[in-house]
Amino acid sequence: MAEEGLIFHALDKNFYQQPTLELAVSLLGCILVKETEEGKAAGIIVETEAYVGPMDKAAHSYNNRRTKRTEIMFHEAGVAYTYVMHTHTLFNVVSGKKDNPEAVLIRAIEPVEGIDLMVKRRGMPESANLTNGPGKLTKALGINTSDYGHPLTEKPLFISQGFVPESISSGKRIGIDNSGEARDYPWRFWITGNRYVSRHQNAEKIIVLKDVRTNGGT
DNA sequence: TTCAGGATGCGC
DNA sequence: CGCATCCTGAAA
């Protein structure tokens, strides 16, 4: 029940200084943590998508489009990019060098702490449905547009070192069918077989990483 | 499977 | 103003 007392340690700025596609992979297995007055909630990142700035028609920052909303994507890596789509908040990790508007969308997490709080916020019993989508996980964690621009190296919203996935799959991104050729880029990544992944899709490629990398570590 | 909800940006 | 969108839950 009460999985309390887990200690999370925020990854430092250097972690985010890797190319966006690599960061999207490295984030898998890391822990996303949000603390509020209601309590702490955290989950393992199990699904990501890369959005690679000016040359990616699916990115908000395509063609260096710079608006009040996309402004934070031009910031140096390691801050939060939140925005509202329809009635849901989506959470991205800004990546790339300063003035390179790139980001990684967090699409799903696996709860590890504060599950009761997530159940309460989502208004439904515990199941994979709690956090298996980009709009669902923000609601479960209490992430909203007030987190826009927040450095992910600091409380109350941060990313901690976590686990090293044994296998990562990649495929086309979700929900970007009107983005021309970018539609087919295999820039979606997920932990192979994880039950919190938002949608089933045949992997174009499976990378077995066990013993090949360390996760956010030294 | 379809569809509305309703924030945000952008073109007309 | 009208329309599209990195989505979700409910209805059919």
Side-chain angles (χ1 to χ4, degrees):
Chain A
M1 280 284 294
E3 53 310 282
E4 294 169 21
L6 293 178
I7 304 299
F8 302 117
H9 189 263
L11 290 160
D12 67 41
K13 236 164 97 173
N14 292 338
F15 172 74
Y16 300 95
Q17 318 284 104
Q18 50 187 317
T20 296
L21 290 173
E22 294 176 25
L23 181 63
V25 171
S26 296
L27 281 167
L28 294 172
C30 292
I31 316 286
L32 178 60
V33 186
K34 174 77 191 271
E35 298 174 4
T36 72
E37 289 182 358
E38 292 180 291
K40 185 194 292 186
I44 305 164
I45 296 171
V46 301
E47 179 183 348
T48 60
E49 281 180 359
Y51 287 85
V52 187
M55 36 72 75
D56 179 3
K57 280 188 180 169
H60 292 156
S61 54
Y62 174 62
N63 211 17
N64 282 309
R65 193 152 60 93
R66 192 164 189 157
T67 65
K68 186 181 177 189
R69 182 173 70 160
T70 64
E71 181 63 33
I72 200 65
M73 295 183 74
F74 291 80
H75 193 276
E76 65 179 14
V79 297
Y81 170 36
T82 52
Y83 74 96
V84 177
M85 183 200 187
H86 293 275
T87 55
H88 306 280
T89 303
L90 273 63
F91 169 71
N92 297 251
V93 175
V94 170
S95 62
K97 293 184 167 66
K98 178 169 158 48
D99 293 326
N100 287 47
E102 306 178 6
V104 177
L105 170 67
I106 307 303
R107 286 196 54 91
I109 63 170
E110 175 177 340
V112 290
E113 181 165 348
I115 295 179
D116 293 345
L117 185 51
M118 296 193 206
V119 165
K120 180 185 162 199
R121 283 172 173 152
R122 293 275 289 125
M124 59 170 60
E126 182 181 354
S127 75
N129 200 30
L130 224 46
T131 55
N132 63 353
K136 298 176 185 177
L137 73 90
T138 55
K139 188 169 183 186
L141 292 179
I143 293 172
N144 54 61
T145 50
S146 70
D147 292 305
Y148 183 93
H150 179 80
L152 298 170
T153 49
E154 299 169 14
K155 292 180 179 185
L157 174 62
F158 63 97
I159 294 175
S160 169
Q161 185 170 353
F163 308 92
V164 181
E166 289 187 15
S167 171
I168 288 169
S169 301
S170 64
K172 292 173 185 165
R173 293 173 292 180
I174 304 293
I176 55 158
D177 287 344
N178 291 329
S179 300
E181 71 276 6
R183 183 184 59 169
D184 296 324
Y185 299 167
W187 290 352
R188 177 183 184 223
F189 305 94
W190 66 93
I191 295 179
T192 306
N194 187 279
R195 80 184 187 102
Y196 289 87
V197 168
S198 65
R199 278 204 232 178
H200 179 71
Q201 168 189 33
N202 288 329
E204 299 191 5
K205 197 172 176 181
I206 296 182
I207 317 163
V208 177
L209 293 159
K210 196 170 187 179
D211 300 327
V212 174
R213 62 185 269 272
T214 57
N215 183 341
T218 46

